[in-house]
Amino acid sequence: MKSFLPVVAASLFSLLSVVILVVSIRLPATSLWRGFNLVYVPVEVQEELVLQALEKVGVNEVITLSNQMVPLVSPYAPVQSIVSVEYSYLQQRKNYFFDRSKEIQLYYIPSKFMERGRTAVEAIRKLPGGESAGIEGRIVYPWIVPLVVALVSVVLVVISKARLFMMVAAFFPLLFTCCIPSYSSAGAVLLLLYGFYLCSFLWRRKDMAKAIRKSTMILLFGLTGVPIAFIGSWQEGLLFVLTMMASLCLCYILFWYSNAKSKGFVPVPIRGAQLVSVVSSVASFSLFIPAVAATILSMALFFFGYFPADTSINGLFLPAPARYTEAMSFDSVSFQDSGQQEYFGVELPSLVHYVDWVWDTLTYPYRSLHETQIIDLVSAGETVVMPSYLLNDKDIIQEEYTPIYSLDDSFIKSVLEGIREDGFQIERVLKTQNCFTSVVYRRMGDFLGGKSQGQVYTILSLLATILISLVAGIFIWRIQNEDEGF
């Protein structure tokens, strides 16, 4: 009975892994803005009709031009002079709701309503003048990723001496790639598959497990995929580790089944696993398969971006963040760094301009009316003080200065906390981007959804896959030449 317990445990773990991977299916969504998608409609269509169409299908929390309000009013100076009405922050932020040509009006809807938004767009297109309406962003399955991994699996199965083992070992890596079709996960899977291919040389030989643990080449390909998977995200990394464990369990079940099928007589190759070298001419020839596959994926990434883009309107330039980041970075240092690249009166003011506008609004009552009008962005560390006069111990009037405002981390935090998460202000969209990024007009179809930081990580993953294969190939070639006496 005890001999069945490991098999039962391995079977249950394998089934559980299948469920977890299937439940964790993550189709990559493309969009210019994190957390929001743009519905674009010709300006001829009244905003009221667009909002009615969106509301009819259950799209709420729409951020549009009509619901923009003045975010803050100073209780001491509700009316303030400004340098230029035309280039003020409140005026310039209206550009967020139009494309560059000002012929298309934009509506920001939360990404969770994207599919409903598509339904609404179909209704909007039936309105007079709304034929060219559309929605930015879409979910497209990147077939190139699982296709390349599947081709590599087939090649390795065909050239393997233990084909059944290779088929079983490739099941979970291929399932993982189908459920998490990212380029970084594909790089990790390619290395893992080749690690299993090297194990096929030792399949069912004596002391197989010990030989695998001592094989530098097998460990190199089997384990280096783990950090590569974590490059994509920590969720992908954990699922990849689960995939490795599930593959080992499935291989163990196959090993147990093969022995049970032999009914006591288990044929074992004469040469033990420790006497068989995985560094063979066959391994050397097939070693470049992961490198070739990673190169194909790199070319697909370079030429097509992450995924196909929606180009239903050619030449449509929409507001978009200049850069993307996963970690939130709202502090005085990042504010200052971003502000150095900013200037007064930009077409699309950023969150830096909003903080600067709040600062000017709050500090206006404390500034001298004789000062030159401020047109430069405020600098981090700037303070506003209030003078006061006190009698000291010697009955002499002494002037003191009490800080009123200081543009530091706490001030920036308080400004951002004033942006409601359930509000309808454009500042909510800017805050969701997690950083003080400038905003530019980006043409639809140009690397839509290809976030710069994610692209860097993905390219690093694919380059690591290529380099590991090439370095290992050179290493095997040198060993073979030394064995032949060169």
Side-chain angles (χ1 to χ4, degrees), residues 1-13 249 252-253 256:
M1 182 64 182
K2 292 183 178 180
S3 61
F4 287 97
L5 291 180
V7 179
V8 173
S11 302
L12 292 177
F13 185 84
C249 288
Y252 174 77
I253 296 173
W256 175 87

Side-chain angles (χ1 to χ4, degrees), residues 94-156:
K94 294 180 181 178
N95 292 336
Y96 277 95
F97 300 97
F98 299 94
D99 74 320
R100 176 178 285 178
S101 68
K102 301 296 187 292
E103 296 178 357
I104 301 293
Q105 187 168 345
L106 307 177
Y107 304 81
Y108 295 76
I109 66 172
S111 296
K112 61 184 178 181
F113 297 127
M114 187 174 69
E115 290 304 319
R116 297 182 185 179
R118 293 189 181 284
T119 304
V121 166
E122 294 299 324
I124 295 172
R125 287 174 178 170
K126 298 177 182 179
L127 298 174
E131 294 79 9
S132 57
I135 183 170
E136 166 271 337
R138 61 181 185 175
I139 297 177
V140 178
Y141 191 85
W143 291 103
I144 184 68
V145 176
L147 178 61
V148 170
V149 174
L151 289 176
V152 171
S153 302
V154 171
V155 171
L156 293 178

Side-chain angles (χ1 to χ4, degrees), residues 149-381:
V149 174
L151 289 176
V152 171
S153 302
V154 171
V155 171
L156 293 178
V157 169
V158 171
I159 66 176
S160 174
K161 293 184 178 180
R163 294 180 179 177
L164 181 59
F165 163 78
M166 194 63 216
M167 290 177 60
V168 171
F171 172 76
F172 273 105
L174 187 56
L175 177 62
F176 170 75
T177 308
C178 293
C179 296
I180 313 293
S182 68
Y183 286 79
S184 55
S185 66
V189 167
L190 291 174
L191 295 177
L192 178 61
L193 287 174
Y194 194 80
F196 279 122
Y197 171 71
L198 295 179
C199 291
S200 67
F201 290 94
L202 311 178
W203 176 245
R204 299 198 66 183
R205 293 181 182 272
K206 184 180 179 181
D207 298 328
M208 178 183 66
K210 185 183 295 185
I212 291 175
R213 289 197 301 268
K214 291 183 178 181
S215 175
T216 304
M217 198 63 61
I218 292 178
L219 295 179
L220 173 68
F221 282 93
L223 299 180
T224 50
V226 176
I228 290 179
F230 274 97
I231 287 178
S233 67
W234 65 268
Q235 295 96 332
E236 287 186 18
L238 292 179
L239 289 174
F240 182 75
V241 173
L242 176 72
T243 298
M244 293 179 60
M245 297 172 62
S247 296
L248 294 176
C249 288
L250 214 57
C251 292
Y252 174 77
I253 296 173
L254 175 63
F255 181 79
W256 175 87
Y257 175 77
S258 300
N259 290 344
K261 188 177 180 181
S262 301
K263 297 180 180 180
F265 175 74
V266 182
V268 178
I270 297 176
R271 297 175 63 192
Q274 300 188 50
L275 299 178
V276 176
S277 175
V278 296
V279 184
S280 62
S281 58
V282 178
S284 178
F285 169 77
S286 59
L287 184 61
F288 297 100
I289 293 177
V292 172
T295 302
I296 294 174
L297 292 176
S298 301
M299 293 174 63
L301 173 65
F302 179 79
F303 288 108
F304 304 110
Y306 266 37
F307 313 106
D310 184 2
T311 55
S312 55
I313 295 184
N314 295 325
L316 180 62
F317 286 82
L318 302 178
R323 67 184 182 93
Y324 303 85
T325 181
E326 296 295 332
M328 184 175 292
S329 59
F330 290 126
D331 53 36
S332 57
V333 175
S334 59
F335 174 86
Q336 186 67 25
D337 292 341
S338 299
Q340 292 175 355
Q341 308 298 325
E342 302 283 343
Y343 58 93
F344 184 81
V346 295
E347 274 190 295
L348 294 166
S350 68
L351 206 58
V352 167
H353 291 90
Y354 175 68
V355 175
D356 176 79
W357 177 83
V358 172
W359 172 267
D360 288 342
T361 301
L362 294 176
T363 61
Y364 180 81
Y366 303 95
R367 297 199 304 266
S368 172
L369 296 178
H370 300 289
E371 289 184 3
T372 305
Q373 292 289 1
I374 299 175
I375 61 174
D376 295 326
L377 290 173
V378 63
S379 299

